[in-house]
Amino acid sequence: MTKNFYFNNSFQFNDLNFNKFSLSILFFSLLFSSFSLNLKILYNINISLFDVLVIFYFPFILKNFRILISKKLFIFLGILGLYIFLNLLFEIYPLEKSLNNLLYKKKILLFLQFFRSAIFFILIYLFIKKIGIRNCISLLIKIFLFYCIVIIIILILDVSFLTKIILKDFSYIYFNDVQRASEIIRLKGFFNDPNHLGLFACFFLTLVIYLNLSFFYILIFGMTIILTGSKTAYLYLLMQFAFLLFLLNSNKKKNIQEKFFKYLFYIFFLIYSFLIILDLSLIYYYDNFTQIEYQPKTRYYKFYDLIVENNLWKDSTRLIMWKDIISQDINLIFGNGIYELTNYSKLKFNNFSHNSFLDIFFDFGLIGIILLFLFYLSLFDFKINQLFGKNIIAIILSFHLLIFFFFFNFTIFYLPYIWFFFPIVVFIFENNTRYLKKL
C-alpha cells in the first residue's frame, strides 16, 4: 500500500509525488545557485539553497542507508572521501598549525564542499531510484527546457534597445543576472559562471540526441550553449553536431514544425561558426601582413594559439600554467594536501588551475587519482555485451567526453554540478536503456 504524507489536512502527497517534488527543488536549487546568503563563519561561507536542502534531506539518506551500502560505487565514494578526510586531518593535526590560519580554514571549507557534493550525489541517486529513470529524465529535461527559454528571453530583453530605454535601472537590477559582467555578453542564467550553464546544456543536449526527442530541444539547448560563449561547450557542440548527422538514425517522417526548428538551428549554428572562423582568419591576416592590431569580435580567438605553430606554449595561459604546475615539487604518492594547488595557482597566476585532474593529483597524489578513476568507472557497471548496442556506444562517445572535456578545462571536482549527472548515468547503465526511447 502506498504511504501518504499529509500537510495541514489539505495537501496529500504519496511517495512518488514527494520524491518528484524533492528532486525538482534540488534541481532548481542548482539552476539558481547564484543566489546565496553570505555568512562570516570560518571564511565568508556562501550558503546556497542546495546547501540548505542537503542538510534538510540528510535524514532521508539515513533512512535509506541500506540501499547504499550494497552498491560498489558508494564503497569507492566512501573510500575516496575517507582518504581526502585523512589527508586533511594529518595536515591540521599538528599543534603548530593553528586553525586560525586562513589557509587551513580554506582547506576545511574545500573538504566541506566535497562532502556537500557527495551528499548531494547520494540524494539525487535515491530520488531517481524511487521515481524511476524514465520519469526522472522526462521531468528534468522539461524543467531545464523551461529554464533555458526563460533565461534566453531575459537576455534578449536585457540587451534590447527597447528594454534599455523603457526599463532603465530596472533592467540592470533584475535582468543583469543572466549575463556575465565582462566585455562580451555571455548567457549564464542564474549560475555564477557561464561555463556551469554550458555544462548543463551539454549534458541535456546529449540526452535529447540520445533519446531522439523533438528537434526543438536541440534548438534551445544548442542556442544556450552558443550564447554561453564557453569554448569547451562549443567544442562539445561541434562533436554532437557530427554525432547528430552521422551516428544517429533520424526519423524520416518529419513534420513542417520539426523541419523549421531543424533548419533554423543549422542556419544559426553555421552563421555563428562562420563568424568564429572569420575572426580567426582576420587575426592571422592582421598579425602577419599588416602593422595594425586587430581586436577580436568573439572570445574564441584563443583557438588561434592552437592553430598557429610556435605559439602553443608561448601565448596559451592555461597551458603555461599547467606546465608550471607540473614542474613543481609534488609528493607523487600522497600529494601536497587539499587546497594546495588552488592556493598556489591563485597566488602565482591569480586564477584557478582549470584542470580537475591536476587539482586531484597535486593535492592527493597517485592514490587520489586512482581512487577517483575507480569511483568514476564504478558509475558504468555494465556487461561487456552491452558495448555492442548503439545506445550504449552513444553514451560512451558523448557523456564520457563531456565529463573529460570539463574536467580538463575547469576546476569542478568539488562543485555539486558535475555530481548531479553521475546518478543519472548510473541508472541509464543499470537498466535496459531501450525502453527510454518511449519517452
Side-chain angles (χ1 to χ4, degrees):
M1 182 178 294
T2 303
K3 185 178 178 180
N4 295 325
F5 297 86
Y6 293 90
F7 297 93
N8 299 327
N9 296 322
S10 58
F11 294 99
Q12 178 177 334
F13 285 111
N14 58 28
D15 279 336
L16 181 61
N17 290 333
F18 170 77
N19 293 321
K20 282 186 175 181
F21 173 77
S22 300
L23 179 64
S24 298
I25 63 172
L26 282 170
F27 186 38
F28 271 114
S29 72
L30 275 189
L31 296 179
F32 291 88
S33 58
S34 64
F35 295 100
S36 60
L37 177 66
N38 184 270
L39 298 179
K40 296 186 179 300
I41 303 174
L42 287 179
Y43 178 72
N44 290 344
I45 303 178
N46 289 319
I47 302 296
S48 298
L49 176 59
F50 57 80
D51 294 311
V52 177
L53 291 175
V54 164
I55 297 172
F56 178 79
Y57 281 109
F58 187 75
F60 183 78
I61 295 178
L62 300 179
K63 182 181 178 182
N64 295 275
F65 186 72
R66 290 185 179 180
I67 298 176
L68 306 177
I69 59 176
S70 62
K71 295 295 182 180
K72 183 169 58 177
L73 70 96
F74 293 106
I75 295 175
F76 284 122
L77 177 62
I79 295 173
L80 176 62
L82 179 62
Y83 173 70
I84 294 176
F85 175 70
L86 292 176
N87 188 292
L88 172 66
L89 195 63
F90 280 115
E91 275 197 277
I92 65 175
Y93 179 73
L95 295 178
E96 64 269 21
K97 296 181 177 178
S98 173
L99 292 180
N100 291 324
N101 186 296
L102 181 59
L103 176 61
Y104 286 93
K105 290 181 180 179
K106 291 182 177 181
K107 288 175 179 287
I108 294 172
L109 288 177
L110 195 61
F111 171 75
L112 291 177
Q113 278 192 322
F114 168 79
F115 182 76
R116 183 266 317 267
S117 297
I119 295 299
F120 188 79
F121 160 72
I122 294 172
L123 283 173
I124 299 299
Y125 175 91
L126 289 173
F127 286 127
I128 294 177
K129 185 173 183 63
K130 292 179 177 295
I131 297 171
I133 185 61
R134 180 180 172 184
N135 292 330
C136 167
I137 290 179
S138 178
L139 175 66
L140 295 177
I141 288 177
K142 290 175 182 177
I143 291 175
F144 190 68
L145 177 69
F146 174 77
Y147 178 82
C148 289
I149 292 174
V150 169
I151 61 177
I152 289 175
I153 291 174
I154 294 176
L155 180 67
I156 294 172
L157 291 174
D158 188 34
V159 300
S160 67
F161 177 77
L162 182 63
T163 304
K164 293 181 183 297
I165 294 298
I166 297 177
L167 298 179
K168 295 183 179 178
D169 293 338
F170 180 85
S171 168
Y172 177 79
I173 294 173
Y174 291 95
F175 293 154
N176 200 52
D177 280 331
V178 300
Q179 69 181 49
R180 190 176 185 181
S182 66
E183 71 284 357
I184 299 174
I185 293 175
R186 299 177 62 189
L187 182 68
K188 70 182 182 72
F190 296 96
F191 289 98
N192 289 315
D193 192 287
N195 297 301
H196 298 158
L197 175 60
L199 172 64
F200 275 76
C202 284
F203 179 80
F204 282 100
L205 181 71
T206 299
L207 278 182
V208 298
I209 292 178
Y210 170 62
L211 297 172
N212 198 22
L213 298 185
S214 166
F215 207 89
F216 179 71
Y217 292 92
I218 297 176
L219 171 69
I220 297 299
F221 297 157
M223 287 182 62
T224 301
I225 290 173
I226 289 174
L227 293 174
T228 62
S230 171
K231 296 187 292 292
T232 300
Y234 180 70
L235 287 176
Y236 187 77
L237 181 61
L238 286 175
M239 182 189 70
Q240 290 289 35
F241 184 74
F243 207 47
L244 185 66
L245 291 177
F246 301 111
L247 296 181
L248 296 179
N249 293 326
S250 59
N251 184 5
K252 295 181 179 179
K253 296 180 179 180
K254 297 287 184 181
N255 56 37
I256 297 177
Q257 183 184 32
E258 190 74 5
K259 288 182 179 179
F260 170 77
F261 290 129
K262 181 175 182 179
Y263 291 120
L264 177 63
F265 177 70
Y266 285 169
I267 293 171
F268 184 57
F269 179 78
L270 291 175
I271 292 175
Y272 190 76
S273 301
F274 172 76
L275 293 176
I276 294 173
I277 296 172
L278 178 63
D279 208 20
L280 296 177
S281 302
L282 290 174
I283 293 172
Y284 179 80
Y285 173 77
Y286 276 85
D287 283 356
N288 291 275
F289 300 103
T290 73
Q291 301 297 322
I292 303 173
E293 183 180 357
Y294 176 72
Q295 297 296 326
K297 302 299 185 298
T298 71
R299 61 184 312 274
Y300 295 90
Y301 60 89
K302 289 290 185 180
F303 287 147
Y304 180 67
D305 298 339
L306 303 176
I307 297 173
V308 180
E309 191 177 0
N310 299 325
N311 279 350
L312 182 62
W313 291 100
K314 181 180 177 182
D315 296 328
S316 179
T317 306
R318 290 190 188 181
L319 292 176
I320 292 173
M321 184 165 55
W322 295 346
K323 184 180 179 181
D324 177 83
I325 290 170
I326 294 173
S327 67
Q328 299 304 306
D329 185 19
I330 305 174
N331 186 323
L332 297 180
I333 304 300
F334 300 104
N336 294 3
I338 190 170
Y339 194 78
E340 286 297 322
L341 178 55
T342 301
N343 185 56
Y344 173 78
S345 61
K346 290 285 285 184
L347 288 174
K348 184 164 185 177
F349 299 99
N350 193 29
N351 205 343
F352 293 100
S353 66
H354 285 84
N355 191 318
S356 284
F357 292 112
L358 270 183
D359 270 0
I360 297 165
F361 175 67
F362 194 99
D363 289 356
F364 306 114
L366 289 175
I367 294 179
I369 285 289
I370 291 172
L371 289 176
L372 173 68
F373 273 94
L374 287 175
F375 165 71
Y376 183 73
L377 292 175
S378 69
L379 297 174
F380 309 97
D381 188 15
F382 54 87
K383 298 178 181 179
I384 297 299
N385 60 1
Q386 288 181 315
L387 287 173
F388 298 99
K390 181 181 64 177
N391 292 342
I392 298 299
I393 291 176
I395 288 293
I396 290 173
L397 292 177
S398 56
F399 180 78
H400 279 50
L401 285 176
L402 167 62
I403 296 301
F404 280 95
F405 260 52
F406 280 88
F407 257 59
F408 270 120
N409 288 279
F410 301 101
T411 307
I412 57 174
F413 173 70
Y414 298 99
L415 301 178
Y417 310 124
I418 203 74
W419 294 84
F420 175 79
F421 306 131
F422 287 159
I424 298 176
V425 177
V426 169
F427 284 99
I428 287 178
F429 274 84
E430 279 188 355
N431 297 274
N432 185 346
T433 56
R434 285 179 295 181
Y435 80 94
L436 290 174
K437 288 290 183 182
K438 299 177 183 178
L439 279 173

